[in-house]
Amino acid sequence: MASVRDVTFELLRAHGLTTIFGNPGSNELPFLAGMPDDFRYLLGLHEGVVLAMADGYAQARRGPALVNLHAAAGSGNAMGQLTNSVYSHSPLVVTAGQQVRSTVGQEVMLANVDAAALPRPLVKWSSEPAAAEDVPRTISQAIHTATLAPQGPVYVSVPYDDWQAQSSVDARHLLSRTTVTAAALTTRQLTELAAVLDRADRPVLILGPDVDATAANDHAVALAEALAAPAWIAPSASRCPFPTRHPAFRGVLPAGVKAISDLLTGHDLVLVVGAPVFRYHQYDPGRYLPEGTRLVHLTVDPDEAARAPMGDAIVCDLADTLTRLAAAVTPGRRAALVPLPPIATPRPASAGRLHPEEVFAVLRDTAPADTVWVTESTSTSGAFWAQADLRRPGSYYFPASGGLGFGLPAAVGVQVADPDRQVVALVGDGSANYGITALWTAARYRIPVIFVILRNGTYGALRWFAGVLEAGETPGLDIPGIDFTALAAGYGVTGVAVSSRTALVEAVTDALAAGEPRLIQVDTDLTTP
Ligand SMILES: Cc1ncc(Cn2c(C)c(CCOP(=O)(O)OP(=O)(O)O)sc2=O)c(N)n1
Ligand SMILES: [Ca+2]
C-alpha cells in the first residue's frame, strides 16, 4: 500500500502544486526526500522571503501556492508576511514539519508546541492531523479551504514520522475531488440592485483588490461606462483593479475616514466592489459617509460584509455580478465623464538626486507597457499613481497589510508565475532590508526581476507620519549610507547606482536586455505618500 508521503505528493500534483517554496529543517527532510522529479523546490534563505515569494506567485497565477517551512521557528519568521497574505486573500497552503509525533508533548527540541494555534489569526484555517493516516485528507482539506471563496492562507503541521506510515486505500478518493463556490445574485437581487443604480443621480464606484484577483477588471470598466460613473481604487491599494488612464479613473482613495467622506460628497450612491469597507490607515475622524449618501458593498468575503461600519453588503461572485449589472442598468442616463488631465511632468529634484515621479516616469516610458510593478516604497505611493499607466489585470502588487518584506520576494514569485511579462520591483531603501535575501533566490534560479531601490536615506513614510501625529523628532528614522549594489553583489545580482535621468534610462535599458536579475539603486528626494 502507498505511504502517506506518496499519496500526498499525488494529491499535490493533482492540484498543480508542484512548485514548493521552502526553507528546510530536519523536521522537513523526510517529506522532501521523496520529492518527485516533476516537482521543483525554490529555496528562500529566510521564511519571510519564502512566504512572500509564494504570495506573489499565488496572486499572479490566481491559484494556490505550496509552502514548506521549519516547525515553529520557521513558521514564526513567516508570520510577518502572513499578515499581508490573510488580507490579500492569498491561497497559500503552508506546511510545516513537526517533531516525531510521540515526543511533541515532552517539548523536545524542534517541537512545534500547539502547532495549529501558532499562526492564528493570520490564517483562514490550521490543523495538525490527529493520526498519520489522516495527513492526506487534512492536506486535501487545507487545499480546498485555501481555494474556496474567500480564498486565504492555511497551515498544516505534520510530524515527520507520519510520512512513512501506510495510507488508507480510501485516500485515493482525495485525488479527484473538486470543490467550487457558486454564489451568484438571484435574478430578483440583481434587478433590485440595478434599479438602485439606475435611480442614482451621481453613482460612484470604489474598486478593490479582489476585482483584480478575480480578473473582473474589464467587467468593472463595463459597469463604469454603462453608469457613466467615476471609479476610484479603494484605500491602501494592494492590487490595481481598473485601467489608470481610463476616462472614468479618478485615482486611489486616501486612507482616512474624513478624507474619503469629503471626496464622496455629492455622490448619492457608492458601490464598493472587492474591497473591505474600508482599509483606513491614518486616524482621520469624521462622518463615514456624507449626508444622504447610500453605500452598497459587493464582496467575496462574509467577514468583510459583517464587519463594515456602514452600508448594505452582498457576498457574491464579483465578475458574474459586475457583468450582469453592466447589462442590466440603463445606459446613457448621465453626462459623459470628463477624464483626468494628462499625466503631469515629474517634479524636479535636488542636485544629484531624482524625484520619485521622475523615476516612475522613466520606468513607465522605458519598460514594456505590460510590465508588472511590485511596489513597497511607502512614501512614494502618491508619486507612483500620479505617473502610472496600468492597463492590464495583474499589473500591480503591494503588501496588503503594509507588512514590509513583501516587495523583493513577491516580485520573484510573480516573475516565476508570469515569465512572459517583465516584473519590476520598486522598493524603498528601508523596506528592501526586510526581504533582501530574495536577491539570492533570484540569482540562484536566474529569475530576471529588475529590482529598483529608491534610496532616500530614511524611513520616509514614518517621517510623514511623525508629522501627521505631531510627534516631532523621533529616533530610529534615518538609514543613511546603505550600499545596495554591494549587498546585491554579495547575493549574486549585478547592481548599479544612478543619480541622474540619463544614467537611469541606460541602467533600465541594460537591465531589460540582461535576461537575468538586475538591481538599480536610485538616489531620490524625500516625498510624502
Ligand atoms: C515588518 C514591518 N516593520 C516595520 C514597519 C513600519 N514601517 C516602516 C519601517 C516604514 C518605512 C519604510 O521605508 P522605505 O525606505 O522602505 O520607504 P519610504 O522611504 O518611501 O517610506 S513604513 C512602515 O509602516 C512595517 N510596516 N512593517
Ligand atoms: Ca526610504
Side-chain angles (χ1 to χ4, degrees):
M1 206 156 20
S3 71
V4 163
R5 183 177 72 188
D6 294 342
V7 171
T8 299
F9 274 117
E10 282 190 71
L11 175 68
L12 295 172
R13 183 183 291 115
H15 287 278
L17 289 168
T18 55
T19 296
I20 304 175
F21 295 89
N23 186 277
S26 51
N27 289 0
E28 291 69 48
L29 299 181
F31 166 66
L32 295 173
M35 191 177 84
D37 293 342
D38 61 327
F39 280 64
R40 63 177 170 175
Y41 187 90
L42 293 181
L43 175 61
L45 301 183
H46 181 281
E47 290 86 353
V49 163
V50 171
L51 205 290
M53 282 196 294
D55 194 339
Y57 177 81
Q59 290 197 56
R61 74 191 292 257
R62 295 189 180 90
L66 177 63
V67 177
N68 185 246
L69 303 175
H70 180 46
S75 302
N77 279 347
M79 284 169 62
Q81 289 308 310
L82 276 175
T83 64
N84 294 315
S85 310
V86 72
Y87 281 105
S88 51
H89 292 146
S90 300
L92 306 183
V93 181
V94 183
T95 58
Q98 172 64 288
Q99 254 292 5
V100 166
R101 183 176 285 278
S102 61
T103 68
V104 174
Q106 305 164 39
E107 299 190 16
V108 298
M109 283 292 283
L110 303 186
N112 189 351
V113 178
D114 205 354
L118 181 67
R120 294 180 195 141
L122 300 178
V123 289
K124 184 179 174 185
W125 180 78
S126 63
S127 177
E128 181 171 291
E133 186 178 335
D134 198 36
V135 168
R137 191 211 56 77
T138 303
I139 290 180
S140 172
Q141 180 175 353
I143 296 167
H144 292 297
T145 304
T147 51
L148 282 167
Q151 298 190 340
V154 295
Y155 180 88
V156 180
S157 166
V158 182
Y160 74 70
D161 55 321
D162 283 3
W163 296 115
Q164 289 310 326
Q166 291 306 300
S167 173
S168 78
V169 67
D170 277 342
R172 309 211 65 74
H173 290 298
L174 301 171
L175 305 183
S176 57
R177 289 200 68 228
T178 60
T179 55
V180 293
T181 308
L185 269 61
T186 63
T187 304
R188 180 163 165 264
Q189 287 170 325
L190 189 90
T191 305
E192 285 176 357
L193 181 53
V196 168
L197 290 168
D198 274 345
R199 284 197 298 271
D201 293 326
R202 291 194 63 218
V204 59
L205 298 183
I206 298 177
L207 304 167
D210 282 330
V211 170
D212 190 51
T214 55
N217 309 47
D218 293 346
H219 308 309
V221 168
L223 181 59
E225 291 176 351
L227 290 170
W232 289 90
I233 297 179
S236 308
S238 60
R239 297 183 74 142
C240 183
F242 201 86
T244 60
R245 306 313 302 169
H246 185 281
F249 184 67
R250 289 295 178 272
V252 180
L253 282 174
V257 171
K258 183 179 183 304
I260 291 175
S261 193
D262 289 349
L263 279 170
L264 296 180
T265 300
H267 291 290
D268 53 347
L269 183 87
V270 178
L271 181 67
V272 182
V273 186
V277 174
F278 288 109
R279 292 282 278 168
Y280 300 113
H281 188 164
Q282 60 274 20
Y283 182 59
D284 174 30
R287 302 296 306 278
Y288 281 124
L289 287 173
E291 280 302 323
T293 298
R294 180 183 176 189
L295 184 142
V296 177
H297 181 198
L298 306 181
T299 175
V300 298
D301 187 342
D303 289 345
E304 286 180 5
R307 70 172 183 265
M310 74 280 205
D312 302 317
I314 306 173
V315 180
C316 58
D317 179 289
L318 302 181
D320 173 73
T321 306
L322 286 167
T323 304
R324 292 165 65 196
L325 275 178
V329 297
T330 310
R333 287 172 47 89
R334 300 172 189 87
L337 289 163
V338 178
L340 290 176
I343 295 177
T345 305
R347 283 176 280 177
S350 46
R353 290 181 175 275
L354 285 168
H355 192 286
E357 286 182 1
E358 183 154 27
V359 175
F360 300 140
V362 166
L363 287 162
R364 178 198 64 223
D365 296 341
T366 312
D370 66 349
T371 294
V372 183
W373 307 96
V374 182
T375 72
E376 192 173 79
S377 166
T378 38
S379 72
T380 64
S381 51
F384 175 83
W385 289 107
Q387 294 295 323
D389 181 359
L390 307 184
R391 302 175 191 181
R392 289 182 46 179
S395 292
Y396 176 85
Y397 300 94
F398 182 86
S401 282
L404 302 181
F406 172 85
L408 293 184
V412 172
V414 171
Q415 190 71 88
V416 171
D418 201 347
D420 297 331
R421 294 174 70 177
Q422 176 63 56
V423 175
V424 177
L426 303 170
V427 179
D429 54 345
S431 300
N433 300 291
Y434 296 87
I436 195 75
T437 68
L439 295 178
W440 178 87
T441 301
R444 173 79 174 76
Y445 302 102
R446 288 177 61 84
I447 301 166
V449 174
I450 298 175
F451 301 100
V452 178
I453 308 295
L454 297 130
R455 190 174 76 156
N456 58 17
T458 184
Y459 286 152
L462 299 191
R463 285 207 163 279
W464 170 75
F465 235 115
V468 170
L469 300 174
E470 297 173 349
E473 189 54 35
T474 47
L477 301 189
D478 285 329
I479 49 171
I482 302 176
D483 181 349
F484 289 94
T485 62
L487 292 172
Y491 283 119
V493 173
T494 301
V496 63
V498 302
S499 55
S500 72
R501 179 190 177 89
T502 309
L504 177 59
V505 172
E506 186 181 337
V508 174
T509 306
D510 291 349
L512 288 167
E516 61 182 27
R518 283 285 189 275
L519 180 136
I520 303 171
Q521 173 187 287
V522 191
D523 284 335
T524 59
D525 261 352
L526 178 59
T527 57
T528 55

